[in-house]
Amino acid sequence: MPGSRTGRPPVQRAARRPAPRPSAPENPLRRLRNRARKAWDRPLTAYYLILGGSLLIIVLGLVMVYSASQITALQLSLPGSFFFRKQFLAALIGGALLLAASRMPVRLHRALAYPILAAAVFAMALVQVPGIGMSVNGNRNWISLGGSFQIQPSEFGKLALVLWGADLIARKQDKKLLTQWKHMLVPLVPVAFMLLGLIMLGGDMGTAIILTAILFGLLWLAGAPTRLFAGVLSVAALIGVILIKTSPNRMARLACIGATEPRAGGADCWQAVHGIYALASGGIFGSGLGASVEKWGQLPEAHTDFIFAVTGEELGLAGTLSVLALFAALGYAGIRVAGRAKDPFVRYAAGGVTTWITAQAVINIGAVLGLLPIAGVPLPLFSYGGSALLPAMFAIGLLIAFARDDPAARAALAMRQPRFGRKRAGGSRAERVPRRWNTMRRRASAARPSGER
């Protein structure tokens, strides 16, 4: 091959590669969906959803309790902030319970199952003792603590059933006894029926429905066969039908489903109809915080069972959808914690708490919307009532502890460091970890050649 003029062999040039074709622009909706999917799959998503969602529900509930209870307090010759102050005190105590539950190890939660169950059964039995128990709105499920403070032990029965039932099923699963139907039902179902009987002695069918939902949730998570699950459900449904048929008050509540007039079919549907009026008058963005009309004596129990109706009137459709979204996020996070847990107790307890919160929210909101009979249960974490708020906040602390206990979440929390560094173990103030930009600069300077500036 002839050489070039310089005497060097000619340089052989590589064949040119074809220019890459420009990729088609990604669909914005698909890109947004991919980002959302990555965000949902992060290890700490459930932890932040439970913590943030529950705190937002509690804070918004305090605001709405203050707004909805002012007129009721003034009608009773009490200060306008009377019910708000009691709810705020309960929220502070519940916050301490939530923090304690979120920091407890799982073995301590399991150790508390039997003491909480025994205390709940004892307190629920005291309700029926003359001179100790008291009736509120026709239900004898309260114990007076002196002054204006009362406690409803049946609310703590929900927490007791969740913890004790989860511990019982987990121990039976470890011994491989859940394959036998008698170990699946005994003693879980008899103890649950005992709690239901103590509640129904006071006439509180709404709380009994929530306990039944928790029982079915535990059986479902334990893998009960369909025929066994259907058998227990049939027995519970038969008992429920008998209890409704034998009570004119419950029959009247059933007749008010979908009512549009205060007197529907001879039943007094005043509360149900005015709840619909409150929601309808709110519009998209509501009449403004504190500007509700229905709370001025038209809507009974405006700050307890029907606080969702006042929320719709004052904050409109935007406010009610926000509340629904918060409960949906809380339910999703609870299901995710239960689904990813490897510890049987954690799975059953997380599933029981999620069933409790979501079922109670659905029953309360369904009653306000006129889709379900009025069961007399508060909106969890939102309505007025310290007896309902305290065990619910402890249960949220359980979910937070379980979400933190996930191996991926624990690793993600361990990798989190302060933005500007922290002290080394046993080091002085001058021996702090260098800041991030200083560390990167040192690495870059160390990688340069010796003669480069």
Side-chain angles (χ1 to χ4, degrees):
M1 177 181 293
S4 61
R5 293 182 179 179
T6 58
R8 297 178 180 177
V11 178
Q12 296 182 357
R13 299 179 180 179
R16 293 184 178 181
R17 296 179 180 179
R21 296 180 180 179
S23 59
E26 188 178 0
N27 190 354
L29 294 178
R30 182 178 300 176
R31 183 168 61 251
L32 181 62
R33 184 181 62 183
N34 293 335
R35 290 182 178 179
R37 183 179 300 175
K38 291 180 180 179
W40 286 116
D41 290 337
R42 291 177 181 175
L44 293 176
T45 297
Y47 170 73
Y48 287 129
L49 281 178
I50 296 171
L51 180 61
S54 59
L55 291 181
L56 286 175
I57 293 173
I58 294 169
V59 171
L60 183 57
L62 288 173
V63 174
M64 293 311 305
V65 165
Y66 180 67
S67 175
S69 65
Q70 290 182 356
I71 307 304
T72 303
L74 294 175
Q75 288 175 345
L76 298 174
S77 301
L78 297 171
S81 60
F82 175 78
F83 294 104
F84 168 76
R85 286 181 293 177
K86 291 182 63 177
Q87 186 74 355
F88 185 72
L89 176 61
L92 291 180
I93 300 174
L97 293 177
L98 186 150
L99 182 61
S102 65
R103 295 295 180 178
M104 288 181 185
V106 174
R107 62 180 181 275
L108 184 55
H109 289 144
R110 301 188 69 167
L112 290 175
Y114 282 86
I116 292 178
L117 177 65
V121 171
F122 178 74
M124 291 167 68
L126 282 181
V127 171
Q128 307 304 324
V129 177
I132 298 179
M134 58 181 301
S135 298
V136 177
N137 295 329
N139 293 336
R140 187 180 179 86
N141 281 308
W142 298 82
I143 295 178
S144 177
L145 299 180
S148 61
F149 292 94
Q150 305 159 359
I151 188 172
Q152 187 177 3
S154 58
E155 292 291 340
F156 294 88
K158 304 172 186 176
L159 177 63
L161 182 59
V162 168
L163 286 177
W164 177 80
D167 178 69
L168 175 69
I169 299 175
R171 286 189 290 108
K172 290 196 173 188
Q173 179 175 334
D174 292 339
K175 297 179 181 179
K176 303 184 185 305
L177 297 175
L178 292 181
T179 56
Q180 306 176 28
W181 68 270
K182 60 180 181 179
H183 287 288
M184 181 77 69
L185 298 180
V186 180
L188 177 62
V189 175
V191 171
F193 278 14
M194 178 187 66
L195 295 175
L196 291 173
L198 291 173
I199 292 173
M200 290 307 301
L201 284 176
D204 188 3
M205 191 169 182
T207 305
I209 293 174
I210 305 301
L211 253 72
T212 305
I214 295 173
L215 172 63
F216 287 136
L218 291 175
L219 289 176
W220 182 270
L221 291 171
T226 305
R227 60 181 183 277
L228 185 63
F229 194 85
V232 178
L233 182 60
S234 301
V235 173
L238 179 61
I239 296 175
V241 169
I242 294 174
L243 292 174
I244 292 175
K245 287 287 187 179
T246 56
S247 174
N249 183 29
R250 298 187 186 114
M251 288 297 296
R253 293 186 180 187
L254 194 64
C256 291
I257 297 179
T260 56
E261 297 294 335
R263 302 290 299 183
D268 186 5
C269 301
W270 180 274
Q271 186 180 27
V273 171
H274 278 273
I276 298 297
Y277 289 169
L279 292 171
S281 61
I284 302 297
F285 298 105
S287 58
L289 192 62
S292 171
V293 175
E294 291 293 333
K295 68 182 181 183
W296 287 76
Q298 300 295 325
L299 180 63
E301 307 296 336
H303 60 298
T304 55
D305 300 346
F306 272 70
I307 195 171
F308 188 76
V310 179
T311 304
E313 186 179 4
E314 295 187 351
L315 303 183
L317 182 63
T320 55
L321 289 180
S322 299
V323 174
L324 291 175
L326 289 174
F327 276 107
L330 193 59
Y332 166 80
I335 293 173
R336 175 170 171 170
V337 171
R340 296 191 175 187
K342 296 182 179 179
D343 188 344
F345 172 79
V346 172
R347 181 168 63 253
Y348 298 136
V353 171
T354 306
T355 304
W356 164 15
I357 300 297
T358 54
Q360 187 166 330
V362 167
I363 291 174
N364 177 274
I365 295 174
V368 174
L369 296 176
L371 303 176
L372 295 174
I374 300 174
V377 295
L379 189 60
L381 304 173
F382 199 86
S383 295
Y384 169 78
S387 296
L389 184 63
L390 295 181
M393 291 188 69
F394 187 90
I396 294 299
L398 286 177
L399 288 181
I400 293 175
F402 298 156
R404 290 170 58 95
D405 196 56
D406 181 73
R410 197 186 309 120
L413 289 172
M415 292 177 61
R416 288 171 48 187
Q417 294 182 359
R419 185 175 181 181
F420 296 103
R422 60 182 179 184
K423 292 183 180 181
R424 294 177 180 174
S428 61
R429 185 174 181 180
E431 296 176 350
R432 292 184 178 179
V433 176
R435 295 180 179 179
R436 184 177 300 175
W437 52 82
N438 291 337
T439 306
M440 297 300 294
R441 187 173 60 183
R442 290 183 181 181
R443 290 178 180 176
S445 60
R448 292 175 182 172
S450 57
E452 182 182 356
R453 294 184 179 180

